[in-house]
Amino acid sequence: MKFKTKLITLVVAFLAAISFAMPSQVNAANTDMVDTSNHNGLMTYDNYYDMLVHYGVKAVVQKVSEGTTYVDPTAKYNLASAKQAGLYLNGYHFARYTTVEGARAEARFAVAAAQSAGLPIGAVLATDVEASEQANNSYAANTANNKAFMEVIQAAGYRSTIYTMGSWVGTKMSVDKGWIADYPYNTSRDRYTSHHAWQFRSDQQFAGSYGNFDVSQLYDDFFTANQTPSPSAPVTPAPSQPAKSNAASDTDYAQTGVFKPSATVNIRTGAGTGYASIGSYAPGESVIYDHVYIRGTYVWARYLSYSGRYHYVALGVNGGESYGSRSSSYSAPSHTYYTVRSGDSFWSIASKYGISMYTLAANNGKSIYSLIYPNESLYIR
């Protein structure tokens, strides 16, 4: 999870120095489980299979929900990809509750989100307790709330545990056997062997995957029980490298215009389906492009994001279906705003515009832990 951003700069720098000094085989040998969420985007079969083969990852825990309004839009796809790769599947809910009734309401919401995402009954659905709401709550209240949450989860057929930071264990709540986050590896190792799992770093990177990942060492079979992984090739394998195009049909030309999609289209880092998907545009939105590419099957538009990097969206099938309308005339707006849709997060919106999610949150007087709501207008720049 993402509580690590609250650490002061000096501590972050210190931990980073230690983590880079660690032998890579130490982390690889203990990287049993990886967290994924909208912060990492859509994960493919290849992403998870690479983690399994090259890093020894055997379990995934995917964010499914937060509070009583947010469902992680990547959960269903990511769990399906992880299942195809042969990983054990688990989920977590980011807790906002401060009362027993609030905890039960969030648990019911989490169960519905988990079922919709395809999390198998019998898997773990953990409660992630690290937010300001719990920091300001009493030890007794947090303990009672967590118990109420887990009771509802268990009644639905899932197993549950508490994820929290090491400094909160025994101070902010009672945790019998939990999933504990505490860094760095060399300082915290062997402190949490009585628990189910220990999250020992939050900046692990995997070749071909987007962003940093939280990774954990498992001490028992809690996150791997009740399942028998059955890896299978994906129905439509995602290539690890951009697919080669038919050179005879490859064309590109400078053209400026506005594209308004009639269906959701992925934003990619290159003009091809083999490039990483880092967000999407939905019907009703628009993108100003400056170049058009024909690459085999698809026609692509290029645009310059606010980060100074080029991104690409498919305009349609070459000689076939169009994914929206194009106009050659536009007037550049003085400011850019975005209207929040259901399922959006700071990460997904920031990726779309090529800016940092921290900058996006700060531009709107928020932190990345703040809730955003459908139809809310966010200032981009």
Side-chain angles (χ1 to χ4, degrees), residues 63-73 93-97 102 105-110 113 340-345 369-374 376:
K63 181 176 181 178
V64 297
S65 54
E66 178 175 338
T68 56
T69 59
Y70 180 80
V71 174
D72 193 303
H93 169 85
F94 193 94
R96 295 289 183 179
Y97 50 72
E106 289 195 24
R108 292 190 292 269
F109 183 77
V340 177
R341 307 194 313 270
S342 177
D344 277 338
S345 67
Y369 302 100
S370 301
L371 294 177
I372 53 177
Y373 301 93
E376 180 179 356

Side-chain angles (χ1 to χ4, degrees), residues 68-82:
T68 56
T69 59
Y70 180 80
V71 174
D72 193 303
T74 67
K76 186 172 184 177
Y77 185 92
N78 288 355
L79 286 172
S81 295

Side-chain angles (χ1 to χ4, degrees), residues 251-271:
T251 307
D252 67 272
Y253 52 93
Q255 182 186 87
T256 300
V258 179
F259 173 60
K260 296 183 178 180
S262 56
T264 299
V265 293
N266 289 328
I267 301 168
R268 297 190 180 274
T269 56

Side-chain angles (χ1 to χ4, degrees), residues 30 34 37 74 103 109 125 154 191 216 246 250 259 263 271 298 332 351 371 380:
N30 297 276
V34 63
S37 72
T74 67
F109 183 77
L125 180 50
Q154 291 160 0
R191 292 181 60 188
S216 301
N246 179 355
D250 283 0
F259 173 60
Y298 299 99
S351 295
L371 294 177
I380 304 300

Side-chain angles (χ1 to χ4, degrees), residues 259-266 280-287 322-325 338-342 344 352-353:
F259 173 60
K260 296 183 178 180
S262 56
T264 299
V265 293
N266 289 328
S280 63
Y281 279 98
E285 298 182 305
S286 62
V287 56
S322 173
Y323 296 155
S325 62
Y338 176 81
T339 301
V340 177
R341 307 194 313 270
S342 177
D344 277 338
K352 179 178 301 185
Y353 289 98

Side-chain angles (χ1 to χ4, degrees), residues 54-230:
H54 297 293
Y55 296 86
V57 173
K58 56 188 175 184
V60 62
V61 57
Q62 165 69 39
K63 181 176 181 178
V64 297
S65 54
E66 178 175 338
T68 56
T69 59
Y70 180 80
V71 174
D72 193 303
T74 67
K76 186 172 184 177
Y77 185 92
N78 288 355
L79 286 172
S81 295
K83 180 179 179 180
Q84 289 173 335
L87 299 183
Y88 292 94
L89 308 182
N90 304 280
Y92 76 88
H93 169 85
F94 193 94
R96 295 289 183 179
Y97 50 72
T98 58
T99 66
V100 166
E101 284 308 310
R104 289 173 179 156
E106 289 195 24
R108 292 190 292 269
F109 183 77
V111 166
Q115 291 174 340
S116 177
L119 184 68
I121 294 298
V124 173
L125 180 50
T127 178
D128 175 1
V129 186
E130 57 173 309
S132 58
E133 288 89 340
Q134 290 88 42
N136 296 324
N137 232 10
S138 70
Y139 175 97
N142 283 334
T143 299
N145 296 343
N146 294 340
K147 181 175 182 291
F149 179 93
M150 291 191 291
E151 286 174 346
V152 173
I153 298 299
Q154 291 160 0
Y158 292 109
R159 292 174 298 118
S160 195
T161 190
I162 300 168
Y163 168 94
T164 194
M165 59 197 85
S167 61
W168 281 27
V169 176
T171 59
K172 291 291 185 181
M173 69 195 76
S174 173
V175 182
D176 181 21
K177 286 179 72 69
W179 170 25
I180 313 303
D182 199 358
Y183 322 135
Y185 185 93
N186 287 345
T187 300
S188 302
R189 63 183 305 178
D190 302 325
R191 292 181 60 188
Y192 301 104
T193 55
S194 63
H195 290 274
H196 297 307
W198 163 45
Q199 185 186 100
F200 61 87
R201 70 180 299 175
S202 60
D203 59 354
Q204 179 69 51
Q205 294 189 341
F206 299 98
S209 298
Y210 177 83
N212 293 332
F213 293 81
D214 302 327
V215 290
S216 301
Q217 179 173 344
L218 303 181
Y219 292 118
D220 56 27
D221 65 352
F222 188 72
F223 284 92
T224 58
N226 299 334
Q227 296 180 51
T228 303
S230 53

Side-chain angles (χ1 to χ4, degrees), residues 20 42 55 78-79 83 89 96 127 238 259 292 302 305 309 328 347 360 364 368:
F20 281 117
L42 296 176
Y55 296 86
N78 288 355
L79 286 172
K83 180 179 179 180
L89 308 182
R96 295 289 183 179
T127 178
F259 173 60
V292 172
R302 183 188 74 178
S305 72
R309 297 173 180 169
S328 60
W347 177 87
L360 173 62
N364 291 274
I368 62 168

